[in-house]
Each structure stands twice: as structure tokens, then as C-alpha cells.
Amino acid sequence: QGVSHARAAVDQWRVLAAADTSRVRARYAVAMSRVKLGDFLGNPNLPNVGDRAGATAQYREGLALMHAAPPDSLAEWSTRRLLALLHERLGAMLAADGRHAAAIAELEQALAIRDGLVKERAASVDARRDLAVVHQLLCEAQLAGGDDTGALARCERGLALYESLRAADPRNAQSARDLALGLQSMHKVLAARGALAEALAQLDRSA
């Protein structure tokens, strides 16, 4: 049912966007609907129906739509945040398919955008969490691609952000879960580098 609702939303917003190509908000809504549809179809980090190819196609179409928008429309903070999300989602799908170099390229684009968003709104919890997530995804992708040194640096940066978010709001369940996942990624990197005692310590902290 979630997939059918997401498809209907995409179709409705596509009609509006096609009717007036200058409707930036309509383009934004179509792209966001594609993110949600892609998530339902096959995002490996969320409950899905197992259609990874379909999910990848939705994220690609969302990116194409955003890049076809007037350049000045991408200057808005929220629009750039969506653009980064699309790059992140596509990168995650490519990583799941074992296409590590392509995944890293997409994730690095998300990282560049999110780094700028945090600089503009340093107090934004959402922006800082977004940045931590892409550091962690890059850590995992670089590790899978054989670059454990690069992976370590990404995991360290992601963990620092997760820990700062957790310290700022100790009762927040999302920040606790994020930190645990970040520690698990660090465990993998340290284990791959042969630092087994440190790796186990990270795993213990994540429990």
C-alpha cells in the first residue's frame, strides 16, 4: 500500500511540474516523492519490497529532475538538502550492488553539499546528522572498496558528529541508534586493519 501511495504522489506532482516547468516547488515535490517511492521499493537501510533496481531508477530520475531545474533554484537550503539526499540514496544503492567506485562518487557529492549546509546552519541538528550519515556511508563504501585508511578517517568524522549529537540530547532515541551504528562501522574498519582489541571495544560500546 505504501508503494501505491508513493506512486500516486509521484504521478500527481509530475502533472503539475509538466504543466509549468518553472514550478520549482512542484519539481521539489516530485523529487521527494521519488525518494519515498525508492525507499519503499528497495532501500537496503529501510523496510522495502526488494526491488533494488526500481529504487535505483527512482533516485536517478529524482536527481535528473533536480539537475534540470533552473540553476538559481538550487540555491535554496532545503533544495540543496534534497539534492544531497538523492545523491546519498543513489550512493547507498550502488554500494549495495558492489559498485564501490560509483557509490563513493555519489556519496562524495552528497558530502560536499552537506558540508556546506552545516557551515551555513551549524546549529541545525538535521544538517549535522545528515553529514554524519554520509561520512558513515562513505566509511562503509571505502572499506568495501579496499581503502581502510580512507574509511577510518570517514568513520572518525562521522562518530565525532554522532557523539556530539548524543551528548546534546542524551534522551533522544535516534541519536542513540545512530551512535551505535557508527560504532559498529568503526568496529569493522578497525577489525580490517588488525586492531582487534580496539575493534572489540567499539563493538562493546555499541551494545
Side-chain angles (χ1 to χ4, degrees):
Q1 188 175 14
V3 172
S4 63
H5 287 167
R7 288 191 189 280
V10 169
D11 290 341
Q12 290 170 0
W13 282 110
R14 281 178 63 190
V15 171
L16 290 174
D20 183 357
T21 56
S22 68
R23 290 177 64 106
V24 175
R25 301 314 298 172
R27 284 177 176 270
Y28 181 101
V30 174
M32 181 55 76
S33 295
R34 290 199 179 280
V35 169
K36 293 179 180 178
L37 178 54
D39 289 348
F40 281 128
L41 289 173
N43 187 325
N45 301 313
L46 296 169
N48 66 83
V49 300
D51 183 3
R52 281 171 33 181
T56 300
Q58 291 299 321
Y59 301 143
R60 287 193 186 280
E61 289 179 20
L63 271 174
L65 182 67
M66 296 302 290
H67 283 300
D72 59 347
S73 70
L74 298 179
E76 290 187 18
W77 195 90
S78 60
T79 304
R80 284 180 287 142
R81 188 179 181 216
L82 174 57
L83 186 59
L85 178 63
L86 284 159
H87 281 296
E88 177 216 296
R89 290 293 204 266
L90 180 55
M93 296 308 301
L94 293 169
D97 288 337
R99 299 174 59 186
H100 306 305
I104 289 168
E106 291 294 334
L107 293 170
E108 285 180 339
Q109 290 190 69
L111 176 66
I113 296 170
R114 288 178 174 176
D115 191 49
L117 295 176
V118 168
K119 288 177 180 176
E120 291 175 26
R121 298 188 185 180
S124 170
V125 171
D126 288 338
R128 289 162 60 207
R129 180 181 182 272
D130 288 350
L131 185 59
V133 167
V134 77
H135 273 301
Q136 182 186 355
L137 290 173
L138 269 167
C139 167
E140 295 271 359
Q142 288 178 308
L143 181 62
D147 180 11
D148 60 90
T149 299
L152 179 62
R154 293 300 179 202
C155 265
E156 288 175 340
R157 293 179 185 178
L159 264 181
L161 285 163
Y162 284 145
E163 287 173 341
S164 69
L165 290 167
R166 177 67 172 153
D169 190 1
R171 296 184 179 181
N172 187 292
Q174 181 67 63
S175 65
R177 180 178 180 275
D178 289 340
L179 179 57
L181 292 174
L183 288 166
Q184 289 170 18
S185 292
M186 179 62 85
H187 159 75
K188 296 177 189 176
V189 174
L190 292 171
R193 292 169 65 85
L196 299 183
E198 294 177 38
L200 287 173
Q202 299 299 313
L203 195 59
D204 286 343
R205 285 186 62 202
S206 74

